[in-house]
Amino acid sequence: MANFNIKFDEKAATRIIGSSVTDIYVDSSQKVIVVGTFHEVNNTPVNCITRLNPDGSVDNSFYSPDENNYNINRVIPSVSGNGYFISGDLSYEGIKKLTYEGNIMPGFSLSLKDGAVIDIATMQGDEYNYIIAVGTFKEANGIPCDGVIIAREDTGEIIYNLSSLLTIPANTFVSVESVSVASNKIYIAGRFHGNDYPHILGCFTISEVTPTYEDYAPLFSSQLQDTQAGFGLVNILAHSNGYVYAIGTALKTGVSAYYRALGFKAIDTTDFEVVELDYNNSPVYGVQTRKMKEAEDGYIYFAGAYEVPGVSGDEKYEAICTKLQGTGSYLHIADLITVAKGVRNNTAPVCNVALKNEFTGNLLVGLVRQEANDNLYKILTI
């Protein structure tokens, strides 16, 4: 695998003790917000969220809450520019809005229960700004729903939910795993549990008067008839080039016993095409995809794990960062970055997040390794 001719200095990495780090955000002051499931950063006690200074040290002016949080999986800035949104399956009841100092923002209340929040996004509107949450939750502020809600960013008041716009078949469990926003459209990706493939659920078109919903699942279903089963996360990204891309992993009938990475490219709202993400004309196996993030240069980055075909022993697994390029409707792997390889304490290394720091030009890559009895997470700079 290519590695950008980069060498990682793990001694210079930020040391985080816990089971996972799931998201990173670099704010306008070049400070780095890190969330996940962890309790210690550079020997400083924290609770699933911390803010780092540009040099990787802990910013002690940022408040890490005292609640017994189980995990925080996303952190994004608010549209209004007055703080952050965090989400997860935690004691925050799904979503909380924080001030820049890390305190709970008064006046905002959004309780999502009976399931997990998997992804969030924000959108600017004419009358209100919105927070969009997707996942497996079945209740929002006491209202029955099916894993998708759109709420006011300032108060948390529910404006729309998936149940009000789409008839969900009885006894069907909906898992919506990714959301991305472009203009006045909200694209969601996931699957109905029980189906044997990952697919796009659809797209909301939001107006201040009434929303509409387009169901893209039948289009994708016809493209994936030769797929035995869908596994891993399904991620969607509305790119700045005007195209919408989604990625996932699946077992291809008659191809291999390994997971095969599939890239789904949306050419427009009526024409989808499924492409297999090969690298240097070789198949990519076992890529567990995480959240896609677009950099200012147009490249798309995501992190995960890679199972090397035909290799056994400690060299079988690699933690990777994948660099994707979307040129028009064509989506391909520009490079695969090997972050770590091998097995330590019977645990393979995994990257959970990759983000380009636009201030420095470096990539921030999360590496999970197990050392002794601790799960050690490190933020490495490329």
Side-chain angles (χ1 to χ4, degrees), residues 215-338:
D215 185 6
Y216 296 158
L219 295 170
F220 263 133
S221 300
S222 63
Q223 295 279 357
L224 294 172
Q225 289 177 349
D226 64 341
T227 303
Q228 288 182 337
F231 295 91
L233 298 179
V234 178
N235 288 297
I236 193 165
L237 174 68
H239 197 278
S240 60
N241 65 9
Y243 290 87
V244 179
Y245 305 107
I247 56 173
T249 58
L251 276 172
K252 290 280 288 184
T253 303
V255 174
S256 174
Y258 293 96
Y259 296 156
R260 185 75 175 266
L262 297 177
F264 311 136
K265 58 185 183 183
I267 298 174
D268 57 38
T269 57
T270 60
D271 186 6
F272 285 90
E273 184 175 352
V274 177
V275 294
E276 296 181 21
L277 288 178
D278 290 352
Y279 180 67
N280 287 342
N281 298 317
S282 297
V284 177
Y285 296 105
V287 176
Q288 302 176 30
T289 62
R290 300 297 192 259
K291 180 70 176 177
M292 289 191 290
K293 294 179 181 288
E294 181 186 357
E296 290 184 358
D297 58 12
Y299 284 103
I300 302 166
Y301 296 91
F302 69 85
Y306 174 92
E307 186 173 340
V308 183
V311 177
S312 60
D314 288 350
E315 297 298 308
K316 184 175 182 178
Y317 300 100
E318 296 184 2
I320 63 167
C321 170
T322 305
K323 182 179 181 181
L324 291 176
Q325 185 174 19
T327 305
S329 62
Y330 181 59
L331 180 67
H332 71 280
I333 295 177
D335 222 325
L336 290 174
I337 309 166
T338 300

Side-chain angles (χ1 to χ4, degrees), residues 182-226:
S183 185
N184 69 334
K185 290 190 175 182
I186 301 170
Y187 296 89
I188 58 174
R191 54 180 174 258
F192 294 109
H193 279 218
N195 287 353
D196 290 332
Y197 45 79
H199 57 259
I200 299 298
L201 291 179
C203 168
F204 290 98
T205 300
I206 297 298
S207 70
E208 302 297 343
V209 180
T210 181
T212 58
Y213 177 84
E214 302 168 66
D215 185 6
Y216 296 158
L219 295 170
F220 263 133
S221 300
S222 63
Q223 295 279 357
L224 294 172
Q225 289 177 349
D226 64 341

Side-chain angles (χ1 to χ4, degrees), residues 49-200:
I49 182 170
T50 189
R51 185 164 66 189
L52 307 177
N53 295 310
D55 64 0
S57 62
V58 175
D59 178 7
N60 291 319
S61 68
F62 186 82
Y63 173 69
S64 185
D66 297 327
E67 290 98 333
N68 183 25
N69 302 318
Y70 297 105
N71 87 302
I72 302 174
N73 58 20
R74 288 286 178 263
V75 54
I76 60 174
S78 65
V79 175
S80 57
N82 63 347
Y84 315 102
F85 286 102
I86 57 174
S87 67
D89 182 11
L90 37 72
S91 60
Y92 278 127
E93 295 187 324
I95 293 181
K96 283 292 184 179
K97 190 175 184 181
L98 304 182
T99 66
Y100 277 121
E101 295 75 30
N103 297 305
I104 302 299
M105 181 81 72
F108 178 88
S109 178
L110 181 54
S111 177
L112 304 176
K113 296 182 176 181
D114 194 15
V117 180
I118 299 176
D119 198 10
I120 55 175
T122 55
M123 185 180 76
Q124 186 172 2
D126 294 332
E127 184 176 355
Y128 309 116
N129 295 325
Y130 299 101
I131 173 77
I132 305 103
V134 303
T136 60
F137 51 86
K138 295 293 185 181
E139 180 184 313
N141 287 355
I143 302 171
C145 64
D146 282 290
V148 178
I149 61 94
I150 304 167
R152 286 179 52 170
E153 186 191 72
D154 55 346
T155 64
E157 176 189 354
I158 304 296
I159 304 297
Y160 311 116
N161 71 77
L162 187 64
S163 300
S164 65
L165 296 171
L166 180 65
T167 300
I168 305 298
N171 301 318
T172 298
F173 180 68
V174 178
S175 177
V176 184
E177 296 168 353
S178 185
V179 58
S180 187
V181 174
S183 185
N184 69 334
K185 290 190 175 182
I186 301 170
Y187 296 89
I188 58 174
R191 54 180 174 258
F192 294 109
H193 279 218
N195 287 353
D196 290 332
Y197 45 79
H199 57 259
I200 299 298

